[in-house]
Amino acid sequence: MCAHVLVAEDDEMQAELIRRSLLAEGHTATVVHDGAAALDAARRLAPDLVVLDLMLPVVDGFGVCRALRGGAPDTADIPVLMLTARSAEDDLLLGLELGADDYLTKPYSPRELMARIRTVLRRSGRGVGVREDPAVRAAGVSVDPVRHEVRCDGVPVECTPAEFQILLAMAAEPERVFSRRQLLQATRGFDRASTERAVDVHIMNLRRKIEADPRRPVRLLTVFGVGYKLSGGRP
């Protein structure tokens, strides 16, 4: 079962952990950090599931859920899994009354969250048969989080664990510009000694492996003053 999951979580580190867990399960993920962005993404992308933190800025999770359930048919039936640090019964009941499909109280383990997501997707019938191949692809690069394989134009590429996580993060969201800090977060658990400057070394090494001319990259691009992105098209 593969699904597109919208993650609305204002804590960037927590959101990144959820995103990485989803990719490891073979899903794709879009991450936003406030309620207004969550509503916009849900309407544009029609995800298979929304993982929704209650304590969002701009529009809180209750407001997002209320707007989704009262909106157009393409958003009204999107399953919602609420996340919150609140454990009060009134909050739980309000979330369920607004149409949340499940409710998970922080702190929780990534394994528990993934199990809840599988249950909600199975119950809703979404994500089934969407894409049996778990690999994400961009710019002729294929990254398979299940087999832990990278291919460039069909040719296997050997990557370190940190390089793999960076490439997986970028391939899942082609054309998104990632800061060094965001890419460093993607390596946590694999390269704890790294600094943000070490990301530049990982990028340089990846270019040697996936670019025809690493000095003139056409896949893994620098966005000066911001960070890096993986091209969404063919080189």
Side-chain angles (χ1 to χ4, degrees), residues 167-180:
L167 202 55
L168 178 61
M170 301 181 83
E173 298 183 71
E175 297 295 341
R176 173 185 168 183
V177 180
F178 289 83
S179 68
R180 289 181 178 86

Side-chain angles (χ1 to χ4, degrees), residues 4 33 38 53-54 56 78 89 126 143-144 172 174 180 182 192 194:
H4 179 199
H33 301 297
D53 181 41
L54 282 186
L56 291 173
I78 296 174
E89 184 179 13
R126 286 177 172 258
V143 187
D144 189 326
R180 289 181 178 86
Q182 290 169 328
R192 293 183 181 275
S194 283

Side-chain angles (χ1 to χ4, degrees), residues 37-179:
L39 286 172
D40 176 68
R43 290 162 180 160
R44 287 187 296 104
L45 304 175
D48 297 303
L49 172 70
V50 178
V51 175
L52 179 65
D53 181 41
L54 282 186
M55 302 300 288
L56 291 173
V58 187
V59 181
D60 68 13
F62 290 127
V64 172
C65 192
R66 185 180 292 110
L68 290 176
R69 291 296 179 253
D74 57 344
T75 65
D77 63 348
I78 296 174
V80 173
L81 172 58
M82 281 189 168
L83 303 177
T84 182
R86 300 172 174 178
S87 58
E89 184 179 13
D90 288 347
D91 291 331
L92 169 60
L93 293 176
L94 178 56
L96 296 176
E97 287 171 2
L98 289 173
D101 296 84
D102 202 352
Y103 195 103
L104 191 56
T105 302
K106 299 177 181 179
Y108 54 82
S109 71
R111 289 182 62 186
E112 181 182 10
L113 176 59
M114 292 303 109
R116 295 288 191 96
I117 286 173
R118 286 193 296 270
T119 298
V120 173
L121 288 171
R122 185 166 56 248
R123 193 164 59 216
S124 68
R126 286 177 172 258
V128 178
V130 171
R131 181 165 52 86
E132 293 184 2
D133 182 358
V136 290
R137 296 177 176 83
V141 177
S142 170
V143 187
D144 189 326
V146 175
R147 298 179 179 86
H148 210 273
E149 293 177 348
V150 175
R151 291 179 177 270
C152 183
D153 295 329
V155 178
V157 176
E158 292 294 327
C159 292
T160 67
E163 291 167 0
F164 182 88
Q165 292 299 323
I166 287 173
L167 202 55
L168 178 61
M170 301 181 83
E173 298 183 71
E175 297 295 341
R176 173 185 168 183
V177 180
F178 289 83
S179 68

Side-chain angles (χ1 to χ4, degrees), residues 172-231:
E173 298 183 71
E175 297 295 341
R176 173 185 168 183
V177 180
F178 289 83
S179 68
R180 289 181 178 86
R181 179 185 176 189
Q182 290 169 328
L183 292 174
L184 179 61
Q185 288 175 351
T187 72
R188 291 305 190 197
F190 298 94
D191 197 359
R192 293 183 181 275
S194 283
T195 64
E196 289 187 21
R197 300 305 301 180
V199 170
D200 296 337
V201 177
H202 293 315
I203 294 294
M204 180 179 65
N205 290 335
L206 282 169
R207 282 175 171 159
R208 292 192 181 114
K209 297 174 181 182
I210 68 172
E211 298 282 3
D213 184 352
R215 295 170 299 177
R216 297 179 177 82
V218 295
R219 306 176 196 261
L220 189 45
L221 306 176
T222 299
V223 179
F224 292 100
V226 184
Y228 301 99
K229 71 175 183 178
L230 191 65
S231 171

